[in-house]
Coordinates of all heavy atoms in Angstrom, one line a residue:
Q116 N -18.0 39.2 2.6 CA -18.6 38.6 1.4 C -19.8 39.4 0.9 O -20.5 39.9 1.7 CB -19.0 37.2 1.6 CG -18.0 36.2 2.2 CD -17.0 35.7 1.1 OE1 -17.2 35.8 0.0 NE2 -16.0 35.0 1.6
D117 N -19.9 39.5 -0.4 CA -21.2 40.1 -1.0 C -22.0 38.9 -1.5 O -21.5 37.8 -1.8 CB -20.9 41.0 -2.1 CG -20.5 42.4 -1.6 OD1 -20.9 42.7 -0.5 OD2 -19.8 43.1 -2.3
S118 N -23.3 39.1 -1.5 CA -24.2 38.0 -2.0 C -23.8 37.6 -3.4 O -24.1 36.4 -3.7 CB -25.6 38.5 -1.9 OG -25.8 39.7 -2.7
R119 N -23.3 38.4 -4.2 CA -22.9 38.1 -5.6 C -21.6 37.3 -5.6 O -21.3 36.7 -6.7 CB -22.8 39.3 -6.4 CG -24.1 40.1 -6.6 CD -23.9 41.4 -7.2 NE -23.0 42.3 -6.3 CZ -22.6 43.5 -6.6 NH1 -23.0 44.0 -7.8 NH2 -21.9 44.2 -5.7
E120 N -20.9 37.3 -4.6 CA -19.6 36.6 -4.6 C -19.7 35.1 -4.4 O -20.8 34.6 -4.1 CB -18.6 37.2 -3.5 CG -18.3 38.7 -3.8 CD -17.3 39.2 -2.8 OE1 -16.1 38.7 -2.9 OE2 -17.6 40.0 -2.0
R121 N -18.6 34.5 -4.4 CA -18.5 33.0 -4.1 C -19.0 32.8 -2.7 O -19.0 33.7 -1.8 CB -17.1 32.5 -4.3 CG -16.1 33.3 -3.5 CD -14.7 32.8 -3.8 NE -13.7 33.6 -3.1 CZ -12.4 33.3 -3.0 NH1 -12.0 32.3 -3.7 NH2 -11.6 34.1 -2.3
T122 N -19.3 31.6 -2.3 CA -19.8 31.3 -1.0 C -18.6 31.3 0.0 O -17.5 31.3 -0.3 CB -20.4 29.9 -1.0 OG1 -19.4 28.9 -1.3 CG2 -21.5 29.8 -2.0
V123 N -19.0 31.3 1.3 CA -18.0 31.3 2.4 C -17.1 30.1 2.3 O -15.9 30.1 2.6 CB -18.7 31.4 3.7 CG1 -17.7 31.3 4.9 CG2 -19.5 32.7 3.8
A124 N -17.7 29.0 1.9 CA -17.0 27.7 1.8 C -15.8 27.8 0.9 O -14.8 27.1 1.2 CB -17.9 26.6 1.4
A125 N -15.8 28.7 0.0 CA -14.6 28.8 -0.9 C -13.4 29.3 -0.2 O -12.2 29.0 -0.7 CB -15.0 29.8 -2.1
D126 N -13.5 30.0 0.9 CA -12.4 30.5 1.6 C -11.9 29.6 2.7 O -10.8 29.8 3.3 CB -12.7 31.9 2.2 CG -12.6 33.0 1.1 OD1 -11.8 32.9 0.2 OD2 -13.4 33.9 1.2
L127 N -12.7 28.6 3.1 CA -12.4 27.8 4.2 C -11.1 27.0 4.1 O -10.4 26.9 5.0 CB -13.6 26.8 4.4 CG -14.9 27.4 5.0 CD1 -15.9 26.3 5.2 CD2 -14.6 28.2 6.3
P128 N -10.7 26.5 2.9 CA -9.4 25.8 2.8 C -8.3 26.7 3.1 O -7.3 26.3 3.8 CB -9.4 25.3 1.3 CG -10.8 25.2 0.9 CD -11.5 26.3 1.6
L129 N -8.3 28.0 2.6 CA -7.2 28.9 2.9 C -7.2 29.3 4.4 O -6.1 29.4 5.0 CB -7.4 30.2 2.1 CG -7.1 30.0 0.6 CD1 -7.4 31.3 -0.2 CD2 -5.7 29.6 0.3
I130 N -8.4 29.5 5.0 CA -8.5 29.8 6.4 C -7.9 28.7 7.2 O -7.1 28.9 8.1 CB -9.9 30.1 6.8 CG1 -10.5 31.4 6.1 CG2 -10.0 30.2 8.3 CD1 -11.9 31.6 6.4
A131 N -8.3 27.4 6.8 CA -7.8 26.3 7.5 C -6.2 26.1 7.4 O -5.5 25.8 8.4 CB -8.4 25.0 7.0
L132 N -5.7 26.4 6.2 CA -4.3 26.4 6.0 C -3.5 27.3 6.8 O -2.5 27.0 7.5 CB -4.0 26.6 4.5 CG -2.5 26.6 4.1 CD1 -1.9 25.2 4.3 CD2 -2.3 26.9 2.6
V133 N -4.0 28.6 6.9 CA -3.4 29.6 7.7 C -3.5 29.2 9.2 O -2.5 29.4 10.0 CB -4.0 31.0 7.5 CG1 -3.4 32.0 8.4 CG2 -3.7 31.4 6.0
A134 N -4.6 28.7 9.6 CA -4.8 28.3 11.0 C -3.8 27.2 11.4 O -3.2 27.2 12.5 CB -6.2 27.9 11.3
V135 N -3.7 26.2 10.5 CA -2.7 25.1 10.8 C -1.3 25.6 10.8 O -0.5 25.2 11.7 CB -2.8 24.0 9.7 CG1 -1.7 23.0 9.8 CG2 -4.2 23.3 9.8
A136 N -0.9 26.6 9.9 CA 0.4 27.2 10.0 C 0.6 27.9 11.3 O 1.7 27.9 11.9 CB 0.6 28.1 8.8
A137 N -0.4 28.6 11.7 CA -0.3 29.4 13.0 C -0.1 28.5 14.1 O 0.8 28.7 15.0 CB -1.6 30.2 13.2
F138 N -0.9 27.4 14.2 CA -0.7 26.4 15.3 C 0.6 25.7 15.2 O 1.3 25.6 16.3 CB -1.9 25.4 15.2 CG -1.9 24.5 16.4 CD1 -2.4 24.9 17.6 CD2 -1.4 23.2 16.3 CE1 -2.5 24.0 18.7 CE2 -1.5 22.3 17.3 CZ -2.0 22.7 18.5
G139 N 1.0 25.4 14.0 CA 2.3 24.7 13.9 C 3.5 25.5 14.3 O 4.4 25.1 15.0
G140 N 3.5 26.8 13.8 CA 4.6 27.7 14.0 C 4.7 28.2 15.4 O 5.8 28.6 15.9
N141 N 3.6 28.2 16.1 CA 3.6 28.8 17.5 C 3.3 27.9 18.6 O 3.3 28.3 19.8 CB 2.6 30.0 17.5 CG 3.0 31.1 16.5 OD1 3.8 31.9 16.8 ND2 2.4 31.1 15.3
V142 N 3.0 26.6 18.3 CA 2.6 25.6 19.3 C 3.4 24.3 19.1 O 4.1 23.8 20.0 CB 1.1 25.3 19.4 CG1 0.9 24.2 20.4 CG2 0.3 26.6 19.7
L143 N 3.3 23.8 17.9 CA 4.0 22.5 17.6 C 5.5 22.5 17.5 O 6.2 21.7 18.0 CB 3.4 21.9 16.4 CG 1.9 21.5 16.4 CD1 1.4 20.9 15.1 CD2 1.6 20.6 17.6
L144 N 6.0 23.5 16.8 CA 7.4 23.6 16.7 C 8.1 23.9 18.0 O 7.4 24.6 18.9 CB 7.8 24.7 15.7 CG 7.6 24.5 14.2 CD1 8.0 25.7 13.4 CD2 8.3 23.2 13.7
P145 N 9.3 23.5 18.3 CA 9.9 23.7 19.6 C 10.0 25.2 19.8 O 10.5 26.0 19.0 CB 11.3 23.1 19.4 CG 11.2 22.1 18.3 CD 10.1 22.7 17.4
Q146 N 9.5 25.6 21.0 CA 9.5 27.0 21.4 C 10.4 27.2 22.6 O 10.5 26.4 23.5 CB 8.0 27.4 21.8 CG 7.0 27.1 20.7 CD 7.0 28.1 19.6 OE1 7.3 29.3 19.7 NE2 6.8 27.6 18.4
Q147 N 11.1 28.4 22.6 CA 11.8 28.8 23.7 C 10.8 29.3 24.8 O 9.7 29.6 24.5 CB 12.8 29.9 23.4 CG 13.9 29.4 22.4 CD 15.0 30.4 22.3 OE1 15.7 30.7 23.3 NE2 15.3 30.9 21.1
I148 N 11.3 29.3 26.0 CA 10.5 29.8 27.1 C 10.4 31.4 26.9 O 11.5 32.0 27.0 CB 11.0 29.5 28.5 CG1 11.2 27.9 28.6 CG2 10.1 30.0 29.6 CD1 12.0 27.5 29.8
E149 N 9.2 31.9 26.8 CA 9.1 33.3 26.6 C 8.2 34.0 27.6 O 7.2 33.4 28.0 CB 8.5 33.6 25.2 CG 9.4 33.1 24.0 CD 8.8 33.4 22.7 OE1 7.6 33.1 22.5 OE2 9.5 33.9 21.8
T150 N 8.5 35.2 27.9 CA 7.7 36.1 28.7 C 7.6 37.4 27.9 O 8.1 37.5 26.9 CB 8.2 36.3 30.1 OG1 9.4 37.1 30.0 CG2 8.6 35.0 30.8
A151 N 6.9 38.3 28.5 CA 6.7 39.6 27.9 C 8.1 40.4 27.8 O 8.3 41.3 27.0 CB 5.7 40.5 28.6
Y152 N 9.1 40.0 28.6 CA 10.3 40.7 28.8 C 11.5 40.0 28.1 O 12.4 40.7 27.7 CB 10.6 40.9 30.2 CG 9.6 41.7 31.0 CD1 8.6 41.1 31.7 CD2 9.6 43.1 30.9 CE1 7.6 41.9 32.4 CE2 8.6 43.9 31.5 CZ 7.6 43.2 32.3 OH 6.7 44.0 32.9
A153 N 11.5 38.7 28.1 CA 12.7 38.0 27.6 C 12.4 36.6 27.1 O 11.3 36.1 27.3 CB 13.7 37.9 28.7
T154 N 13.4 36.0 26.4 CA 13.3 34.7 25.9 C 14.4 33.9 26.7 O 15.5 34.3 26.8 CB 13.6 34.6 24.4 OG1 12.6 35.4 23.7 CG2 13.6 33.2 23.9
Y155 N 14.0 32.7 27.2 CA 14.8 31.9 28.1 C 15.0 30.5 27.5 O 14.1 30.0 26.9 CB 14.3 31.8 29.5 CG 14.0 33.1 30.2 CD1 12.8 33.7 30.1 CD2 15.0 33.7 30.9 CE1 12.5 34.9 30.7 CE2 14.8 34.9 31.6 CZ 13.5 35.5 31.5 OH 13.3 36.7 32.1

């Protein structure tokens, strides 16, 4: 951010939305058993 730009709070809703999507897609949704080598 530059001092002339909008405040940090303006981006928080988008950051929160992406964070929720990340958590939902990689934790909440059913996941297969994964390792570095294979999916089980």
Side-chain angles (χ1 to χ4, degrees):
Q116 306 277 351
D117 280 334
S118 58
R119 295 168 296 178
E120 295 187 70
R121 55 186 178 172
T122 63
V123 173
D126 284 324
L127 289 182
L129 289 176
I130 294 174
L132 179 62
V133 175
V135 169
F138 186 78
N141 296 280
V142 178
L143 296 182
L144 288 180
Q146 306 285 322
Q147 298 190 59
I148 304 169
E149 295 180 315
T150 69
Y152 299 97
T154 299
Y155 303 91

